[in-house]
Amino acid sequence: MTIIEDYCSAVRSSITNDGHPPLEASGLKLQENLTLIEQSLERMEKRSALPPPLVNLKHLIAKGLSATASLFSPVRVAYQWVDKASNILNNKIGLDAAGVKQSYHQLLTEMCQQKQKAGTLNTAIDNFIKTTRSYWSGLFHCYEIEDFPRTNNDLEHAFGMLRHHQRRCTGRKVAPSSLVIRGSVKLACAIATKLHSFTASDLAQVDIHTWLELRSQLQKHHKARIEQYRFRRDPKGYLANLESRLL
């Protein structure tokens, strides 16, 4: 009886295993695990060591796998392409930007030429290719700069680190407006100072003209925020002032 329950537990585990989509296809894992269970039951059946409840279980699994076999074929083809795309972009072999770009372009060409193999997922492949091309101009920039974040998750982590320290210093849960106005400077400084301690001599080497240009941009953003605040506080008065200045 315990063995029967253990086989049922294996089936339940296979059915309820959601995995981590999209790079771990839970459906394909389900088919693979149920196939292994069926093969195990079949081996026991050949040895006449299979009680009636497990014979019924084997027939149910075989029936389910047979009925859904055609559905898994396009999923398997599409998953192989997605998995290959993931491996190329992870770039564990350390290709430069040009090498990654060439490998990914070859994959897209293969998907375009063989998308009919994906069957019912044909339109999904078209959407994958279309979306990839829309990001193409900046997709490989991260491979040109060492330690540059490669995903939105990495970038979110960088922003989250700055907000975490700001909350600790100010006690405010919401990010201050200064993060929007001076975010391009604050975020860069937060990351840079974590990696390197800057001295007065380092700061003295900064190009004064670049510094003045950057400061001018920050002041422009600051002024825009002030004007927006003034309009929200008194729309009629703000517009009356504009009309007066125009006249």
Side-chain angles (χ1 to χ4, degrees), residues 153-164:
N153 290 338
D154 292 332
L155 292 173
E156 285 288 344
H157 178 71
F159 282 105
M161 177 190 67
L162 178 59
R163 291 183 61 187
H164 169 72

Side-chain angles (χ1 to χ4, degrees), residues 47-225:
R47 296 184 180 183
S48 301
L50 208 60
L54 289 183
V55 172
N56 292 335
L57 179 63
K58 174 182 175 296
H59 290 161
L60 286 173
I61 294 175
K63 182 179 179 180
L65 290 174
S66 176
T68 58
S70 61
L71 300 177
F72 282 104
S73 179
V75 176
R76 192 173 299 280
V77 172
Y79 173 73
Q80 289 174 349
W81 282 332
V82 172
D83 185 57
K84 189 174 181 180
S86 173
N87 290 331
I88 292 173
L89 295 178
N90 281 335
N91 194 28
K92 291 183 178 180
I93 59 177
L95 296 175
D96 58 10
V100 177
K101 186 174 183 178
Q102 181 180 3
S103 299
Y104 208 79
H105 184 268
Q106 292 173 350
L107 173 63
L108 292 183
T109 302
E110 177 186 341
M111 293 173 71
C112 285
Q113 295 175 347
Q114 303 180 21
K115 63 180 180 180
Q116 68 277 1
K117 292 183 179 180
T120 55
L121 294 178
N122 197 328
T123 54
I125 297 301
D126 287 334
N127 186 57
F128 181 91
I129 295 172
K130 179 182 177 181
T131 303
T132 301
R133 285 174 175 168
S134 69
Y135 286 101
W136 192 262
S137 60
L139 189 58
F140 308 97
H141 183 62
C142 59
Y143 302 101
E144 299 173 351
I145 303 174
E146 187 177 359
D147 296 328
F148 190 82
R150 296 183 179 179
T151 68
N152 288 342
N153 290 338
D154 292 332
L155 292 173
E156 285 288 344
H157 178 71
F159 282 105
M161 177 190 67
L162 178 59
R163 291 183 61 187
H164 169 72
H165 289 299
Q166 283 190 328
R167 281 197 298 268
R168 291 188 64 188
C169 295
T170 64
R172 298 177 59 182
K173 293 183 179 181
V174 181
S177 59
S178 61
L179 183 59
V180 178
I181 300 172
R182 301 183 178 89
S184 58
V185 175
K186 281 191 170 184
L187 183 62
C189 291
I191 295 175
T193 52
K194 185 179 179 181
L195 301 175
H196 175 71
S197 296
F198 292 89
T199 64
S201 58
D202 293 328
L203 299 177
Q205 297 176 17
V206 175
D207 182 4
I208 188 65
H209 297 291
T210 304
W211 177 79
L212 289 173
E213 182 180 352
L214 178 59
R215 188 172 181 84
S216 175
Q217 293 174 358
L218 295 178
Q219 289 175 340
K220 182 179 179 181
H221 294 159
H222 189 219
K223 183 178 182 301
R225 291 283 295 188

